[in-house]
Amino acid sequence: MTRERGYMDFGLLRKALDEISKDRLADFIVFHVMGEPVLYPELARAIQYAKDKGLKIELSTNGSLMTEDMLDKLLEANTDYIVFSVLTPDEKSFIMRRAKMNFEEYKKHISTLIARALDKKSNSNIVLFFLTTPFGKLIFPSKEFSIINNKKDLVKHVNCWLPAILEKLSDKDVKNKIEANMVNLRTRLFELGMLAWNKFKITNNFFLQTRVLGDWIHRGSNIHNIHRASFGCCEGLTKHFSILWDGDMVFCCVDFDGKTKFNNIKRNTIKEALQEKGIQNYINEFNRLRIKHPYCQICLGDSSFLNAFVRQAGSIIYFKYFRRHWRKRWTKEESLVC
């Protein structure tokens, strides 16, 4: 990343939240774009302000820096979803983080936080999140990165994390119900797909979630003779947009260097920025499955014509059918225990 780093001024954040609330510009506010949200010194205050404005909030964190006091404040603010994103779920992959704590300390810390949240019986939904892929060796051929590659691995990791959470859980009733349903839980886990977007309810407000890993930061940005995309599907601008710490508005959270910057909320309101003719043209082209922005053409492009064609066709299948299918299934999901 080459752009300058910093923390968003709280007055600027408040301006953004005011506009989003007033004009109902978004269903959900997600507090992360290329960063760990717990690092933001005004996080609890920001979430409380957003909730007071009637907005729904999702917070995705690796949890390593979250304290019990901070968690309590997030629960008191009724944060809708607190997602503990365990992207390095075992000791081997955790070493890649070069963290100041070891894996067992990390697991104990996250387990304690999740158990505390469940014991509080708040209105917040708690999510333990893993990445899955059957193509781990293709995506990370030279790295010691333990992505969950099969159902056996998924069950192994859940068997590692869930007992650690139950050990810290004070609510005996919930603890006993989950333990009594462990056989059923493992059976259900074996029904989950490695290419699926799974959201599995353990209790009414405790979820296990898995999502298939893609090449999130596409290597195409480093390829000189790339075959640029001309068609495909993306939810940038049509379903979401991002606001960086300095107020720059960009198409999506993959754009870590701000290459798709199209306005700044210090100069214009969010609604004005989205209504500009140039941005509306991009939105219309996205809706017609046409890719016009140079950065998006690189993102959906690849090193050969065939690879680029597969990526473009795959993006349509993924966004138009795959994600919609799993979102519908989520609404029908019943919890394993009450």
Side-chain angles (χ1 to χ4, degrees):
M1 190 171 76
T2 60
R3 66 179 172 87
E4 185 179 358
R5 303 177 185 219
Y7 294 118
M8 182 176 282
D9 175 76
F10 190 78
L12 189 63
L13 176 59
R14 191 169 55 224
K15 176 182 184 295
L17 295 174
D18 287 344
E19 293 177 13
I20 293 170
S21 174
K22 176 185 175 183
D23 296 317
R24 308 311 300 173
L25 296 177
D27 294 326
F28 255 92
I29 306 295
V30 183
F31 276 98
H32 69 274
V33 179
M34 297 307 301
E36 168 54 54
V38 174
L39 288 170
Y40 185 51
E42 301 279 7
L43 178 62
R45 183 182 173 201
I47 290 179
Q48 185 63 67
Y49 188 86
K51 291 299 296 182
D52 290 344
K53 288 290 178 177
L55 299 172
K56 292 183 178 180
I57 303 298
E58 179 180 312
L59 177 74
S60 182
T61 174
N62 64 42
S64 61
L65 298 177
M66 183 180 288
T67 64
E68 293 184 0
D69 180 63
M70 181 182 296
L71 174 65
D72 291 346
K73 290 179 180 178
L74 298 179
L75 296 174
E76 289 169 8
N78 289 321
T79 307
D80 295 272
Y81 284 91
I82 301 176
V83 181
F84 290 93
S85 187
V86 185
L87 304 186
T88 48
D90 59 14
E91 185 173 5
K92 182 179 179 181
S93 58
F94 187 78
I95 293 174
M96 292 182 62
R97 289 188 179 273
R98 299 184 179 90
K100 294 182 179 179
M101 63 175 70
N102 61 42
F103 173 71
E104 288 301 323
E105 291 173 326
Y106 175 68
K107 184 176 73 171
K108 180 180 179 181
H109 179 64
I110 300 302
S111 299
T112 300
L113 291 174
I114 293 177
R116 183 180 182 88
L118 297 179
D119 282 330
K120 291 283 184 178
K121 299 187 183 303
S122 72
N123 294 323
S124 298
N125 295 294
I126 309 302
V127 181
L128 179 63
F129 177 79
F130 298 109
L131 285 174
T132 63
T133 179
F135 310 120
K137 296 298 181 181
L138 295 175
I139 297 176
F140 295 105
S142 61
K143 294 183 178 179
E144 297 296 321
F145 201 91
S146 298
I147 294 295
I148 298 171
N149 293 303
N150 52 61
K151 297 177 182 180
K152 184 178 179 180
D153 283 346
L154 176 59
V155 173
K156 180 185 73 173
H157 286 304
V158 172
N159 282 342
C160 171
W161 280 87
L162 193 55
I165 295 169
L166 294 179
E167 182 182 343
K168 301 294 181 181
L169 195 64
S170 298
D171 190 323
K172 301 297 184 182
D173 183 49
V174 173
K175 181 177 180 178
N176 291 337
K177 285 182 178 179
I178 294 176
E179 288 177 339
N181 279 276
M182 286 297 289
V183 173
N184 188 20
L185 185 147
R186 294 188 186 100
T187 301
R188 295 273 296 276
L189 289 176
F190 272 105
E191 296 173 358
L192 304 182
M194 290 298 99
L195 284 174
W197 204 12
N198 302 297
K199 191 174 184 181
F200 179 73
K201 291 182 73 171
I202 297 176
T203 71
N204 285 335
N205 69 330
F206 179 35
F207 297 81
L208 171 68
Q209 187 171 337
T210 73
R211 179 172 59 82
V212 63
L213 171 70
D215 49 356
W216 184 53
I217 304 299
H218 179 45
R219 63 189 182 88
S221 58
N222 297 318
I223 299 174
H224 296 295
N225 298 317
I226 192 168
H227 288 260
R228 291 174 176 258
S230 59
F231 72 95
C233 187
C234 178
E235 293 188 342
L237 290 182
T238 60
K239 296 290 186 182
H240 65 254
F241 61 90
S242 297
I243 304 175
L244 306 181
W245 72 272
D246 58 357
D248 283 344
M249 296 179 65
V250 295
F251 286 20
C252 67
C253 60
V254 177
D255 181 12
F256 59 92
D257 255 335
K259 301 293 186 183
T260 59
K261 171 186 172 181
F262 62 91
N263 215 310
N264 189 292
I265 62 172
K266 294 177 183 177
R267 296 194 303 269
N268 299 94
T269 67
I270 299 173
K271 189 174 183 178
E272 288 171 345
L274 293 172
Q275 288 178 336
E276 287 186 352
K277 183 177 179 181
I279 295 303
Q280 282 297 310
N281 286 339
Y282 281 128
I283 292 174
N284 291 334
E285 291 298 325
F286 277 138
N287 287 330
R288 297 168 66 185
L289 304 181
R290 295 180 180 180
I291 307 300
K292 294 297 183 182
H293 194 282
Y295 183 84
C296 303
Q297 291 175 343
I298 292 174
C299 182
L300 285 175
D302 214 314
S303 56
S304 70
F305 173 81
L306 179 59
N307 287 351
F309 179 84
V310 170
R311 282 181 60 81
Q312 292 168 86
S315 69
I316 296 174
I317 295 171
Y318 179 75
F319 286 113
K320 287 291 185 180
Y321 303 102
F322 182 83
R323 289 183 66 159
R324 290 182 180 180
H325 167 73
W326 290 106
R327 279 172 175 154
K328 288 180 180 178
R329 287 197 58 171
W330 284 2
T331 61
K332 300 176 183 178
E333 180 68 42
E334 294 183 357
S335 57
L336 183 70
V337 302
C338 297

